[in-house]
């Protein structure tokens, strides 16, 4: 009888254990085998990887839509507005009307002539800009005494490195050899009237109105040696040749 009773007690205990296990599974309090635990270093790496994943929403920590240049410096946001650089008008300033340079000629200058004792048999031509705009003196003056039928040649060694340019009120110069000092020139005569013609942007082209500066009352003596310099920015350059 004792044996039968012990069997019944063991059977009842097994049934109770099975019932408890079934109850634990139904209410979620049972334990499960999660596998082997991660070592601390691997867990840390996993956490860092999750934190560094870009946020697709565009908030800080993810992509912002703003370009950055090399070295980590921030670039200006794209605005879609282009910036234009002002064009220069050739006078060192911005764009403007009525400021472009023109040719110097008899209409915007005052022309005077002066006989010189040194160098011997020389004359100085002075052109002063009386206009309101910068002007260019191109090449050399074309001289004509009275009804002279030939054009005095220029002294090529006086060719300047740049075009002579006169701001309003400034002056340019040209020197003139009137006659040979040793008397070797031919056809010497005295001129009573002088016409100074100006050249354009190409050699021997028309540069505009001529000038007729006053001559001394006795006139100016010249011969076949008559020669002229190119227009010069400085008075000394017009005489030192």
């Amino acid at each position: 009888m004792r044996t039968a009773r012990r069997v019944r007690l063991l059977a009842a205990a097994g049934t109770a254990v099975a019932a408890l296990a079934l109850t634990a599974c139904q209410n979620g309090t049972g334990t499960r085998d999660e596998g082997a635990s991660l070592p601390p270093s691997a867990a840390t790496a996993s956490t860092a990887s999750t934190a560094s994943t870009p946020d697709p929403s565009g908030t800080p920590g993810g992509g912002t839509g703003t370009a950055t240049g090399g070295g980590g410096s921030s670039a200006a946001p794209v605005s879609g507005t282009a910036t234009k650089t002002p064009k220069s008008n050739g006078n060192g300033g911005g764009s403007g009307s009525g400021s472009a340079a023109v040719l110097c000629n008899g209409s915007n200058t005052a022309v005077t002539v002066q006989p010189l004792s040194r160098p011997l048999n020389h004359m100085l031509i002075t052109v002063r800009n009386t206009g309101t705009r910068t002007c260019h003196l191109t090449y050399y003056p074309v001289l004509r005494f009275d009804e002279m039928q030939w054009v005095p040649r220029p002294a090529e060694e006086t060719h300047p490195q740049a075009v002579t340019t006169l701001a309003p009120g400034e002056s340019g110069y040209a020197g003139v050899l009137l006659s040979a000092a040793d008397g070797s020139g031919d056809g010497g005569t005295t001129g009573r009237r002088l016409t100074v013609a100006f050249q354009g942007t190409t050699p021997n082209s028309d540069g505009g109105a001529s000038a007729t500066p006053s001559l001394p009352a006795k006139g100016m003596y010249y011969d076949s040696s008559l020669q002229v310099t190119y227009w010069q920015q400085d008075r000394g350059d017009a005489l030192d040749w």
Side-chain angles (χ1 to χ4, degrees), residues 75-102:
V78 178
S79 64
T81 302
T83 301
K84 295 183 178 180
T85 302
K87 294 182 179 180
S88 172
N89 60 13
N91 293 322
S95 59
S97 60
S99 58
V102 297

mmCIF file of all heavy atoms in Angstrom, residues 75-102:
data_model
loop_
_atom_site.group_PDB
_atom_site.id
_atom_site.type_symbol
_atom_site.label_atom_id
_atom_site.label_comp_id
_atom_site.label_asym_id
_atom_site.label_seq_id
_atom_site.Cartn_x
_atom_site.Cartn_y
_atom_site.Cartn_z
ATOM 1 N N ALA A 75 30.279 75.899 -46.608
ATOM 2 C CA ALA A 75 30.090 76.658 -47.837
ATOM 3 C C ALA A 75 28.809 77.453 -47.730
ATOM 4 O O ALA A 75 27.901 77.107 -46.984
ATOM 5 C CB ALA A 75 30.009 75.709 -49.034
ATOM 6 N N ALA A 76 28.752 78.573 -48.477
ATOM 7 C CA ALA A 76 27.551 79.394 -48.457
ATOM 8 C C ALA A 76 26.405 78.626 -49.076
ATOM 9 O O ALA A 76 26.585 77.895 -50.037
ATOM 10 C CB ALA A 76 27.796 80.691 -49.234
ATOM 11 N N PRO A 77 25.214 78.773 -48.520
ATOM 12 C CA PRO A 77 24.074 78.076 -49.109
ATOM 13 C C PRO A 77 23.794 78.574 -50.498
ATOM 14 O O PRO A 77 24.023 79.747 -50.811
ATOM 15 C CB PRO A 77 22.930 78.402 -48.140
ATOM 16 C CG PRO A 77 23.352 79.656 -47.456
ATOM 17 C CD PRO A 77 24.847 79.567 -47.350
ATOM 18 N N VAL A 78 23.347 77.717 -51.359
ATOM 19 C CA VAL A 78 23.046 78.089 -52.737
ATOM 20 C C VAL A 78 21.776 78.914 -52.752
ATOM 21 O O VAL A 78 20.723 78.484 -52.279
ATOM 22 C CB VAL A 78 22.859 76.826 -53.597
ATOM 23 C CG1 VAL A 78 22.496 77.208 -55.012
ATOM 24 C CG2 VAL A 78 24.122 75.991 -53.578
ATOM 25 N N SER A 79 21.873 80.138 -53.273
ATOM 26 C CA SER A 79 20.713 81.023 -53.280
ATOM 27 C C SER A 79 20.072 81.142 -54.639
ATOM 28 O O SER A 79 18.972 81.664 -54.764
ATOM 29 C CB SER A 79 21.139 82.427 -52.807
ATOM 30 O OG SER A 79 22.069 82.981 -53.725
ATOM 31 N N GLY A 80 20.820 80.769 -55.700
ATOM 32 C CA GLY A 80 20.269 80.871 -57.046
ATOM 33 C C GLY A 80 20.389 82.248 -57.648
ATOM 34 O O GLY A 80 19.874 82.523 -58.719
ATOM 35 N N THR A 81 21.084 83.189 -56.946
ATOM 36 C CA THR A 81 21.257 84.548 -57.450
ATOM 37 C C THR A 81 22.688 84.743 -57.883
ATOM 38 O O THR A 81 23.608 84.564 -57.085
ATOM 39 C CB THR A 81 20.906 85.584 -56.366
ATOM 40 O OG1 THR A 81 19.573 85.352 -55.958
ATOM 41 C CG2 THR A 81 21.066 87.005 -56.899
ATOM 42 N N ALA A 82 22.930 85.130 -59.141
ATOM 43 C CA ALA A 82 24.286 85.333 -59.655
ATOM 44 C C ALA A 82 24.737 86.744 -59.355
ATOM 45 O O ALA A 82 23.954 87.685 -59.383
ATOM 46 C CB ALA A 82 24.323 85.089 -61.165
ATOM 47 N N THR A 83 26.051 86.911 -59.071
ATOM 48 C CA THR A 83 26.633 88.222 -58.820
ATOM 49 C C THR A 83 27.463 88.635 -60.011
ATOM 50 O O THR A 83 28.347 87.907 -60.437
ATOM 51 C CB THR A 83 27.523 88.185 -57.563
ATOM 52 O OG1 THR A 83 26.722 87.773 -56.458
ATOM 53 C CG2 THR A 83 28.112 89.558 -57.277
ATOM 54 N N LYS A 84 27.209 89.817 -60.573
ATOM 55 C CA LYS A 84 27.926 90.305 -61.739
ATOM 56 C C LYS A 84 28.979 91.317 -61.328
ATOM 57 O O LYS A 84 28.744 92.165 -60.470
ATOM 58 C CB LYS A 84 26.962 90.961 -62.743
ATOM 59 C CG LYS A 84 25.961 89.982 -63.341
ATOM 60 C CD LYS A 84 25.084 90.669 -64.362
ATOM 61 C CE LYS A 84 24.109 89.684 -65.001
ATOM 62 N NZ LYS A 84 23.247 90.347 -66.008
ATOM 63 N N THR A 85 30.158 91.228 -61.959
ATOM 64 C CA THR A 85 31.239 92.181 -61.710
ATOM 65 C C THR A 85 31.043 93.402 -62.597
ATOM 66 O O THR A 85 30.875 93.275 -63.802
ATOM 67 C CB THR A 85 32.606 91.548 -62.033
ATOM 68 O OG1 THR A 85 32.750 90.371 -61.237
ATOM 69 C CG2 THR A 85 33.738 92.521 -61.742
ATOM 70 N N PRO A 86 31.071 94.639 -62.024
ATOM 71 C CA PRO A 86 30.883 95.835 -62.853
ATOM 72 C C PRO A 86 31.949 95.944 -63.907
ATOM 73 O O PRO A 86 33.115 95.654 -63.670
ATOM 74 C CB PRO A 86 30.995 96.977 -61.824
ATOM 75 C CG PRO A 86 30.701 96.339 -60.513
ATOM 76 C CD PRO A 86 31.209 94.940 -60.611
ATOM 77 N N LYS A 87 31.552 96.359 -65.077
ATOM 78 C CA LYS A 87 32.506 96.540 -66.164
ATOM 79 C C LYS A 87 33.217 97.870 -66.008
ATOM 80 O O LYS A 87 32.649 98.866 -65.610
ATOM 81 C CB LYS A 87 31.784 96.510 -67.519
ATOM 82 C CG LYS A 87 31.180 95.142 -67.846
ATOM 83 C CD LYS A 87 30.520 95.165 -69.200
ATOM 84 C CE LYS A 87 29.937 93.807 -69.563
ATOM 85 N NZ LYS A 87 29.282 93.822 -70.892
ATOM 86 N N SER A 88 34.517 97.841 -66.362
ATOM 87 C CA SER A 88 35.306 99.065 -66.287
ATOM 88 C C SER A 88 35.124 99.871 -67.558
ATOM 89 O O SER A 88 34.943 99.335 -68.642
ATOM 90 C CB SER A 88 36.791 98.714 -66.101
ATOM 91 O OG SER A 88 37.597 99.842 -66.208
ATOM 92 N N ASN A 89 35.148 101.195 -67.408
ATOM 93 C CA ASN A 89 35.009 102.051 -68.578
ATOM 94 C C ASN A 89 36.354 102.525 -69.097
ATOM 95 O O ASN A 89 36.432 103.413 -69.942
ATOM 96 C CB ASN A 89 34.125 103.271 -68.247
ATOM 97 C CG ASN A 89 34.698 104.124 -67.131
ATOM 98 O OD1 ASN A 89 35.859 103.957 -66.757
ATOM 99 N ND2 ASN A 89 33.893 105.016 -66.588
ATOM 100 N N GLY A 90 37.457 101.916 -68.579
ATOM 101 C CA GLY A 90 38.792 102.272 -69.053
ATOM 102 C C GLY A 90 39.413 103.406 -68.277
ATOM 103 O O GLY A 90 40.544 103.790 -68.525
ATOM 104 N N ASN A 91 38.672 104.014 -67.306
ATOM 105 C CA ASN A 91 39.204 105.112 -66.525
ATOM 106 C C ASN A 91 39.388 104.754 -65.076
ATOM 107 O O ASN A 91 39.487 105.599 -64.207
ATOM 108 C CB ASN A 91 38.281 106.347 -66.643
ATOM 109 C CG ASN A 91 38.272 106.932 -68.034
ATOM 110 O OD1 ASN A 91 39.319 106.962 -68.673
ATOM 111 N ND2 ASN A 91 37.128 107.361 -68.508
ATOM 112 N N GLY A 92 39.370 103.427 -64.807
ATOM 113 C CA GLY A 92 39.599 102.977 -63.448
ATOM 114 C C GLY A 92 38.350 102.942 -62.601
ATOM 115 O O GLY A 92 38.414 102.654 -61.408
ATOM 116 N N GLY A 93 37.182 103.246 -63.149
ATOM 117 C CA GLY A 93 35.952 103.252 -62.368
ATOM 118 C C GLY A 93 34.963 102.264 -62.912
ATOM 119 O O GLY A 93 35.247 101.461 -63.780
ATOM 120 N N GLY A 94 33.763 102.316 -62.379
ATOM 121 C CA GLY A 94 32.699 101.436 -62.826
ATOM 122 C C GLY A 94 32.102 101.932 -64.117
ATOM 123 O O GLY A 94 32.583 102.864 -64.758
ATOM 124 N N SER A 95 31.008 101.302 -64.496
ATOM 125 C CA SER A 95 30.362 101.671 -65.744
ATOM 126 C C SER A 95 29.750 103.050 -65.627
ATOM 127 O O SER A 95 29.304 103.484 -64.577
ATOM 128 C CB SER A 95 29.279 100.639 -66.081
ATOM 129 O OG SER A 95 28.337 100.579 -65.035
ATOM 130 N N GLY A 96 29.734 103.771 -66.716
ATOM 131 C CA GLY A 96 29.161 105.103 -66.727
ATOM 132 C C GLY A 96 29.064 105.591 -68.143
ATOM 133 O O GLY A 96 29.679 105.046 -69.056
ATOM 134 N N SER A 97 28.316 106.630 -68.371
ATOM 135 C CA SER A 97 28.138 107.146 -69.715
ATOM 136 C C SER A 97 28.980 108.390 -69.923
ATOM 137 O O SER A 97 29.225 109.156 -69.001
ATOM 138 C CB SER A 97 26.657 107.481 -69.954
ATOM 139 O OG SER A 97 26.232 108.457 -69.032
ATOM 140 N N GLY A 98 29.443 108.579 -71.152
ATOM 141 C CA GLY A 98 30.152 109.803 -71.506
ATOM 142 C C GLY A 98 31.559 109.881 -70.961
ATOM 143 O O GLY A 98 32.109 110.969 -70.881
ATOM 144 N N SER A 99 32.173 108.767 -70.544
ATOM 145 C CA SER A 99 33.496 108.822 -69.937
ATOM 146 C C SER A 99 34.569 108.182 -70.796
ATOM 147 O O SER A 99 35.713 108.121 -70.395
ATOM 148 C CB SER A 99 33.459 108.133 -68.563
ATOM 149 O OG SER A 99 33.038 106.801 -68.695
ATOM 150 N N ALA A 100 34.225 107.670 -71.971
ATOM 151 C CA ALA A 100 35.213 107.027 -72.831
ATOM 152 C C ALA A 100 36.159 108.067 -73.418
ATOM 153 O O ALA A 100 35.770 109.197 -73.702
ATOM 154 C CB ALA A 100 34.506 106.251 -73.937
ATOM 155 N N ALA A 101 37.424 107.671 -73.604
ATOM 156 C CA ALA A 101 38.416 108.577 -74.167
ATOM 157 C C ALA A 101 38.149 108.808 -75.648
ATOM 158 O O ALA A 101 37.567 107.969 -76.327
ATOM 159 C CB ALA A 101 39.815 108.009 -73.968
ATOM 160 N N VAL A 102 38.576 109.958 -76.141
ATOM 161 C CA VAL A 102 38.392 110.338 -77.546
ATOM 162 C C VAL A 102 39.745 110.736 -78.120
ATOM 163 O O VAL A 102 40.755 110.758 -77.420
ATOM 164 C CB VAL A 102 37.392 111.511 -77.672
ATOM 165 C CG1 VAL A 102 36.008 111.104 -77.181
ATOM 166 C CG2 VAL A 102 37.891 112.734 -76.894
#
